[in-house]
């Protein structure tokens, strides 16, 4: 039983040196990337350690006219980015750390000039805490990080890129975000979900089957031991890790999502991803790739991620938007039903209002698919004013 409890709540903890996260500044081609450290409390008395990556010429001192002199010395080390750029948040797996975000730096920061945020969940890496909860408490950690970045850097849209436990935390967070009666002043505009599991009890049984090596023994052991395992895990973490269902969360999520899963994954078999894709309520695409749960992600994987992110990050690049449609195009993602507009229009409505205030061209809303770029609907100015 201890083996299964440890697998679920205390896998090997990733360790790393600060230098492996990158220097405070380093060059990628002709661009200079700047990294800033963050330490954020998570509401449970723990501290989340993370990093913010951006282009150096996009960063300015965070100290404002309202800051006190005592605050300025600290704030001056924190970049304040253009409020029109999107923040991409990288979310690691159960035995991972914020190091998993490094392959995204070139794509997100250099190419699209967006902020990239990475952090260690509580109980992982350099963050404090002793245990993980396979997405339940991690979604709360994510909420603290997103709220901090939104408040501190005036971000209005986020893309979540999660792997394994991080992908499940993304689903839980997105479900909670969309169900809020008073949504915050930011939106989730896309999910990249790599190797997510669909049901914790199914995953636990599969882990036990591999451990027991005999299916009949595993069936008997699972039915008798799993309730005890859940109780032991709850004693460690303070929550019932089976209290939430990734598949149920997927059925409540409507933002565009890219699902990826290794065809040779034996830790979280591909049927988990298939179940999530079938349940997912929003626009989605499933890309299987050659590899296992923790194998190095190769070119086909990154091609799919790059294409998906490009459709979203291009959408919030004001220069490209204006160039495409003479200053009148505002790009919005999830658009198939009008009753979803209120949950997905906030960043674009903000841009519309700014254009009106500046006396620019009358804005239009153009709804397109994040996968095919097909134009689904063009909204008139009168329709815009209804929201």
């Amino acid at each position: 039983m201890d083996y299964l409890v440890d697998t679920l709540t205390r896998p090997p903890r990733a360790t790393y040196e600060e230098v492996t996260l990158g220097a405070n500044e380093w060059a990628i081609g002709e661009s200079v990337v700047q990294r800033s450290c963050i330490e954020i409390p998570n509401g449970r008395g723990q501290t989340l350690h993370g990093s913010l990556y951006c282009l150096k010429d996009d960063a300015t001192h965070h100290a404002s006219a309202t800051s006190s002199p005592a605050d300025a010395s600290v704030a001056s080390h924190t970049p304040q980015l253009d409020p029109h750029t999107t923040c991409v948040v990288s979310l690691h797996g159960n035995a991972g750390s914020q190091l998993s975000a490094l392959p995204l730096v070139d794509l997100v920061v250099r190419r699209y000039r967006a902020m990239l945020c990475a952090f260690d969940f509580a109980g992982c890496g350099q963050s404090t805490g002793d245990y993980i909860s396979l997405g339940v408490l991690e979604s709360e950690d994510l909420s603290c990080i997103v709220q901090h970045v939104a408040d501190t850097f005036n971000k209005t849209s986020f893309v979540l890129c999660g792997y394994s436990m991080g992908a499940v935390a993304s689903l839980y967070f997105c479900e909670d975000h969309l169900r809020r009666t008073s949504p915050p002043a930011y939106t989730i505009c896309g999910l990249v979900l790599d190797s997510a599991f669909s049901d914790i009890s199914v995953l636990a049984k599969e882990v036990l089957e591999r451990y027991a090596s005999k299916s009949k023994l595993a069936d008997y052991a699972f039915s008798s031991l799993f309730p005890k395992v859940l109780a032991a895990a709850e004693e460690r973490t303070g929550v019932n890790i089976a209290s939430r269902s990734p598949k149920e969360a997927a059925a409540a999520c409507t933002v565009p999502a890219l699902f990826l899963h290794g065809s040779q994954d034996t830790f979280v078999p591909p049927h988990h991803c298939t179940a999530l894709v079938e349940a997912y309520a929003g626009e989605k695409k499933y890309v299987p790739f050659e590899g296992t749960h923790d194998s190095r992600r190769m070119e086909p994987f990154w091609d799919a991620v790059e294409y998906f992110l490009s459709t979203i990050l291009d959408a919030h690049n004001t220069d490209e938007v204006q160039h495409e449609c003479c200053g009148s195009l505002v790009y919005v993602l999830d658009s198939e039903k009008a009753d979803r507009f209120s949950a997905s229009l906030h960043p674009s409505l903000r841009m519309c209002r700014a254009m009106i205030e500046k006396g620019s061209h009358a804005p239009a809303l153009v709804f397109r698919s994040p996968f095919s770029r097909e134009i689904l609907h063009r909204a008139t100015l009168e329709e815009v004013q209804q929201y």
Side-chain angles (χ1 to χ4, degrees):
M1 187 176 86
D2 289 343
Y3 167 80
L4 190 54
V5 176
D6 286 342
T7 299
L8 298 178
T9 64
R10 185 60 279 161
R13 189 168 190 147
T15 59
Y16 59 89
E17 297 295 330
E18 184 87 5
V19 66
T20 58
L21 296 172
N24 291 336
E25 296 180 2
W26 78 91
I28 300 182
E30 298 180 355
S31 302
V32 177
V33 174
Q34 176 177 304
R35 183 182 73 87
S36 300
C37 298
I38 56 173
E39 295 183 5
I40 308 298
N42 69 356
R44 303 190 302 278
Q46 299 160 329
T47 302
L48 307 175
H49 289 252
S51 301
L52 298 175
Y53 299 88
C54 65
L55 287 186
K56 183 178 180 180
D57 58 2
D58 282 342
T60 61
H61 288 175
H62 173 56
S64 66
T66 58
S67 300
S68 66
D71 294 334
S73 61
V74 176
S76 64
H77 296 288
T78 307
Q80 174 69 47
L81 301 190
D82 182 334
H84 293 299
T85 57
T86 301
C87 180
V88 176
V89 184
S90 175
L91 305 157
H92 63 76
N94 68 333
S97 73
Q98 61 174 309
L99 284 173
S100 63
L102 291 178
L104 289 169
V105 173
D106 179 64
L107 173 64
V108 172
V109 180
R110 183 187 66 82
R111 194 171 309 181
Y112 293 104
R113 306 182 72 90
M115 171 185 277
L116 174 65
C117 175
F119 68 99
D120 297 332
F121 286 119
C124 301
Q126 296 185 2
S127 293
T128 61
D130 297 320
Y131 301 108
I132 63 169
S133 60
L134 292 182
V136 179
L137 294 176
E138 286 73 21
S139 65
E140 297 179 7
D141 291 348
L142 174 57
S143 179
C144 294
I145 292 291
V146 169
Q147 192 65 59
H148 170 77
V149 173
D151 292 344
T152 307
F153 306 106
N154 197 26
K155 294 301 172 193
T156 58
S157 55
F158 290 82
V159 180
L160 309 180
C161 296
Y163 160 66
S164 192
M165 178 180 75
V168 171
S170 299
L171 285 170
Y172 290 162
F173 173 74
C174 189
E175 177 190 25
D176 293 341
H177 176 80
L178 293 174
R179 289 188 186 280
R180 292 176 66 168
T181 55
S182 300
Y186 61 80
T187 59
I188 308 304
C189 55
L191 302 176
V192 176
L193 305 171
D194 176 8
S195 304
F197 58 87
S198 61
D199 187 289
I200 185 61
S201 62
V202 173
L203 178 64
K205 184 176 180 180
E206 291 167 346
V207 170
L208 187 59
E209 285 177 350
R210 291 194 298 273
Y211 179 69
S213 300
K214 295 182 180 180
S215 297
K216 291 184 179 180
L217 176 61
D219 288 340
Y220 170 77
F222 183 80
S223 61
S224 61
L225 285 181
F226 191 58
K228 298 178 182 178
V229 169
L230 287 180
E234 184 170 358
E235 184 176 352
R236 287 183 174 186
T237 64
V239 296
N240 179 358
I241 61 174
S243 62
R244 301 194 67 171
S245 164
K247 190 158 60 174
E248 290 179 5
C253 294
T254 57
V255 302
L258 173 65
F259 291 84
L260 306 109
H261 212 102
S263 301
Q264 291 78 42
D265 191 340
T266 57
F267 185 73
V268 180
H271 71 80
H272 284 271
C273 188
T274 302
L276 289 174
V277 172
E278 291 177 352
Y280 197 79
E283 190 168 10
K284 63 216 172 182
K285 184 173 183 179
Y286 173 36
V287 177
F289 60 90
E290 291 295 315
T292 63
H293 192 71
D294 55 1
S295 62
R296 181 180 178 183
R297 295 337 189 207
M298 306 305 287
E299 187 173 350
F301 174 94
W302 291 112
D303 285 346
V305 172
E306 178 179 355
Y307 185 83
F308 179 74
L309 288 180
S310 70
T311 65
I312 296 175
L313 297 181
D314 275 342
H316 299 282
N317 183 320
T318 305
D319 292 337
E320 291 188 22
V321 168
Q322 291 182 351
H323 174 74
E324 183 172 341
C325 200
C326 301
S328 64
L329 175 62
V330 176
Y331 176 111
V332 177
L333 293 175
D334 190 12
S335 61
E336 294 183 12
K337 295 183 180 179
D339 59 6
R340 297 181 185 175
F341 287 180
S342 60
S344 57
L345 287 188
H346 179 81
S348 296
L349 286 176
R350 178 175 181 148
M351 294 172 68
C352 279
R353 291 165 185 154
M355 293 167 67
I356 293 174
E357 290 172 0
K358 292 178 180 179
S360 302
H361 299 282
L365 290 177
V366 175
F367 303 94
R368 295 195 299 187
S369 163
F371 302 109
S372 67
R373 298 178 184 256
E374 173 189 1
I375 293 179
L376 303 175
H377 176 67
R378 292 184 183 273
T380 65
L381 180 59
E382 290 73 19
E383 288 177 300
V384 172
Q385 293 173 334
Q386 294 176 7
Y387 299 106

